[in-house]
Amino acid sequence: MTENDSSSTELQPARPGIGSRVVRIWPFLGPIIGLFGITLAFYFHAQAIQERVPMYYVSPQRAVIVDATGPAPSELQILHRGQPVSGRSVVALTLYFWNDGRVPIRSADILEPLTIEMAPGVDVLEARVLKVSRPVVKFAEGPILSGAANSLPVTFEILEQNDGAALQIIYAGTPDAPIEVKGTIVGSARPRILSAAAAASFFKPRDPRLSRRSEMRFAYATIFLAGVSLVVSLVFWFRGRSSDFPR
């Protein structure tokens, strides 16, 4: 072996080891794994939220049966318990009440009775349940008390997620009289009202298969992210491995 051959052998760079390959891969693999972990964290956090969410919505379309606000008095006369309702408009509205949370609301969870209250001076003439999500709910309207004619109590046995009822309320008062659902339920504040803007999309007819499709899309996205992480890892691993061999 000549002196030149010996010196060239000593100056030949050492092949990169596993540690150097990991260092080259890590700057790219870390953000991908981080993004994958954040996506899973948001998903499982949303699935883990367990609460009672009593909600209600008042339909903006109110049917004016007798209009006392016009220039000419209405010729239609309404009798309530044998007494004429005169000098005031008679209006019908529809109110929806349901549990939007994952935790069921039972009758024992009601700390303060649920009541549908209208503005002072408004008299609730009649109320009836138009529709109930399931018979087991046993949703019912209570009697209208003479001392609180603007208040209507409601009761039910249990409201699981998306369980609820639609009520029709006929009252004597202005067509735009405000209405509110009051009461206290364990684990939640007073019932929340759904705004008209949110209801525009909330009450759209929805295919029951859509929720299943959403779950499948998330599963496919999770598998895709995992596959991308694996492919990137293999690409950089093979690139690091190919640098071990002389060109």
Side-chain angles (χ1 to χ4, degrees):
M1 180 181 296
T2 63
E3 185 178 351
N4 292 337
D5 294 338
S6 173
S7 61
S8 63
T9 303
E10 293 176 356
L11 296 177
Q12 185 178 4
R15 292 184 299 177
I18 297 177
S20 61
R21 289 198 296 268
V22 173
V23 171
R24 288 196 299 269
I25 296 172
W26 177 252
F28 301 94
L29 186 59
I32 295 175
I33 295 177
L35 179 62
F36 179 67
I38 291 173
T39 304
L40 286 179
F42 275 109
Y43 173 75
F44 288 115
H45 173 72
Q47 294 296 319
I49 295 177
Q50 301 288 328
E51 59 180 351
R52 300 177 178 90
V53 185
M55 295 195 69
Y56 68 97
Y57 171 71
V58 181
S59 176
Q61 287 82 27
R62 301 191 184 190
V64 180
I65 302 173
V66 175
D67 188 4
T69 61
S74 175
E75 297 181 357
L76 182 65
Q77 187 179 41
I78 301 294
L79 296 178
H80 178 244
R81 297 177 180 176
Q83 300 296 325
V85 179
S86 58
R88 291 189 294 176
S89 300
V90 178
V91 186
L93 63 81
T94 304
L95 182 142
Y96 303 89
F97 185 87
W98 72 98
N99 178 20
D100 199 44
R102 296 178 179 271
V103 179
I105 303 176
R106 296 177 172 83
S107 57
D109 298 324
I110 301 176
L111 302 179
E112 183 183 1
L114 293 175
T115 57
I116 300 173
E117 295 192 9
M118 305 198 68
V122 174
D123 291 338
V124 178
L125 305 179
E126 184 184 56
R128 63 191 183 98
V129 178
L130 297 178
K131 186 177 181 180
V132 181
S133 57
R134 296 184 301 165
V136 70
V137 170
K138 296 182 180 179
F139 202 99
E141 75 281 3
I144 303 170
L145 303 178
S146 58
N150 66 324
S151 180
L152 175 69
V154 292
T155 59
F156 55 83
E157 287 295 325
I158 185 172
L159 289 180
E160 294 186 321
Q161 186 177 20
N162 297 327
D163 271 340
L167 295 92
Q168 183 188 64
I169 300 174
I170 301 176
Y171 67 91
T174 59
D176 57 349
I179 185 171
E180 183 181 7
V181 179
K182 295 184 177 180
T184 305
I185 296 174
V186 173
S188 67
R190 64 172 50 191
R192 311 173 191 176
I193 185 171
L194 184 69
S195 64
S201 59
F202 188 89
F203 287 105
K204 283 183 179 179
R206 290 176 286 182
D207 191 336
R209 295 172 294 178
L210 291 180
S211 59
R212 178 63 178 171
R213 291 175 183 173
S214 300
E215 294 176 359
M216 294 301 296
R217 290 193 191 102
F218 180 82
Y220 292 148
T222 303
I223 294 173
F224 175 76
L225 288 176
V228 169
S229 301
L230 179 61
V231 170
V232 171
S233 301
L234 290 175
V235 167
F236 281 96
W237 185 81
F238 279 114
R239 285 187 61 184
R241 188 173 179 83
S242 62
S243 64
D244 294 347
F245 298 95
R247 297 183 180 179

